[in-house]
Amino acid sequence: MKIVSKSEADTKMAAEVFLFGFVKKFVGRGALVAGLSGDLGSGKTTFVKFIAESFGLPPIVQSPTFVIEKVYSLPSSLNAREFRRLIHIDAYRLKDAYELLALGWDDMVKDKENIIFVEWPENVREALPDDANFVRFSHIDDGARGIEWEEE
Ligand SMILES: Nc1ncnc2c1ncn2[C@@H]1O[C@H](COP(=O)(O)OP(=O)(O)OP(=O)(O)O)[C@@H](O)[C@H]1O
Ligand SMILES: [Mg+2]
């Protein structure tokens, strides 16, 4: 899937398309993990904000850059799979996967009730599960962003 988003509303639609497609196909035994890569300001946090809204959370998701990790309890279930927590990690300031382990990553990633989005996944690549999915963001111009992911 390759989307040229010309507004935040387009990015919201992309987040919904990604979320529903991804959840429907996911068969892993642990958490559902998605890495979001792309330049500063390319729209990764904005995408997670809209994912949260799709789950019925109020529009409060902020960049976790200064706290690294944010955990939101989910009010509703999605499709057949019951997710209870949305976890948003910004690995921008992490030097390596060991720093992620210190946040309790092993337990987080084992828990199939978690849906986890990781910004700057390349910083913690070794910790990501084999079944992680990746979305790539690019800055096209002032209001336009590229959003791309592989579909199985
Ligand atoms: N089409 C678009 N989709 C998403 N965001 C857009 C779009 N056009 C402009 N923007 C703006 O681009 C910025 C994207 O910021 P955001 O924090 O989501 O980026 P980021 O990829 O998380 O950056 P960082 O790597 O610093 O965490 C926001 O200010 C948003 O309003
Ligand atoms: Mg961000």
Side-chain angles (χ1 to χ4, degrees), residues 5-11 38-47 50 63 65 90 92 119-120 137 139 141-145 147:
S5 162
K6 297 200 163 151
S7 63
E8 288 209 8
D10 285 354
T11 294
D39 296 332
L40 288 167
S42 57
K44 303 179 295 295
T45 298
T46 304
F47 187 84
F50 290 133
S63 171
T65 299
D90 190 335
Y92 184 66
E119 295 187 43
W120 298 95
F137 294 78
H139 190 289
D141 63 31
D142 273 0
R145 303 287 185 273
I147 307 174

Side-chain angles (χ1 to χ4, degrees), residues 62-114:
Q62 298 150 349
S63 171
T65 299
F66 299 102
V67 294
I68 315 258
E69 178 200 14
K70 288 205 171 181
V71 180
Y72 301 92
S73 290
L74 294 174
S76 56
S77 62
L78 194 72
N79 297 346
R81 207 177 149 108
E82 292 269 348
F83 289 108
R84 303 211 182 278
R85 279 169 299 277
L86 168 66
I87 300 175
H88 183 192
I89 290 176
D90 190 335
Y92 184 66
R93 288 150 164 264
L94 300 184
K95 282 193 277 302
D96 55 39
Y98 288 106
E99 296 195 347
L100 194 56
L101 299 184
L103 293 173
W105 174 255
D106 279 345
D107 288 333
M108 223 185 280
V109 87
K110 262 189 255 161
D111 188 339
K112 67 186 175 70
E113 295 184 341
N114 291 340

